[in-house]
Amino acid sequence: MSFFEKIYQFTLFYSGINAVYQALRKNHLVVLGYHSVSGVTHEESPAYNLYRHLSLSVTVFERQMTYLKGQGYVFLRVSDLVAIQKGERTLPWRAVFLYFDDGYKDNYIYAYPVLKRLGIPATIFV
């Protein structure tokens, strides 16, 4: 990154322009897709080399979900998206649709307990 790019980013961040954008923007949907949430965190594990590129640790996943919930994000189900598309419901501010691809067993073992404890709905595509 060049010197001028750094100054540009610094100026945007500290000028508060991002806060103005957040205040003026229209509602939008954030879609978060995960592949795998794993308890494999030790380099000694045979699965470590595979999972470190495809998976998020359960600790980081829980931190992300806790942050989003704490910031007031509203987690939507597929049925909510259908109702919004039909005009039966409006899109809430800070709307999030959370899904898991491939339906790995670790989605149930590691992600589900976090989601259940925090009251966050998610969709698993098998």
Side-chain angles (χ1 to χ4, degrees):
M1 180 181 302
S2 75
F3 174 74
F4 293 108
E5 288 172 323
K6 288 179 183 177
I7 289 177
Y8 175 73
Q9 286 185 348
F10 178 85
T11 303
L12 283 180
F13 182 77
Y14 287 102
S15 70
I17 195 74
N18 56 341
V20 172
Y21 166 75
Q22 290 291 330
L24 298 177
R25 71 173 170 75
K26 293 182 179 180
N27 291 357
H28 66 277
L29 177 64
V30 175
V31 178
L32 294 177
Y34 291 89
H35 191 69
S36 175
V37 175
S38 174
V40 178
T41 57
H42 301 296
E43 292 182 24
E44 303 85 39
S45 169
Y48 178 77
N49 284 330
L50 170 67
Y51 278 101
R52 72 180 172 160
H53 300 295
L54 298 175
S55 182
L56 186 66
S57 77
V58 68
T59 306
V60 172
F61 177 72
E62 184 168 9
R63 226 179 301 150
Q64 290 177 354
M65 296 302 107
T66 301
Y67 173 81
L68 292 171
K69 189 157 179 140
Q71 293 297 311
Y73 283 84
V74 177
F75 292 85
L76 302 176
R77 295 174 172 80
V78 171
S79 58
D80 297 324
L81 297 177
V82 171
I84 291 166
Q85 185 179 24
K86 288 181 176 180
E88 300 168 354
R89 180 178 174 182
T90 59
L91 182 67
W93 192 68
R94 292 192 173 186
V96 177
F97 177 71
L98 177 67
Y99 76 92
F100 293 87
D101 198 18
D102 295 329
Y104 283 119
K105 185 177 179 180
D106 61 31
N107 298 163
Y108 180 72
I109 294 171
Y110 297 108
Y112 176 69
V114 171
L115 297 170
K116 184 174 181 180
R117 185 172 56 256
L118 296 174
I120 296 173
T123 300
I124 298 178
F125 293 107
V126 180

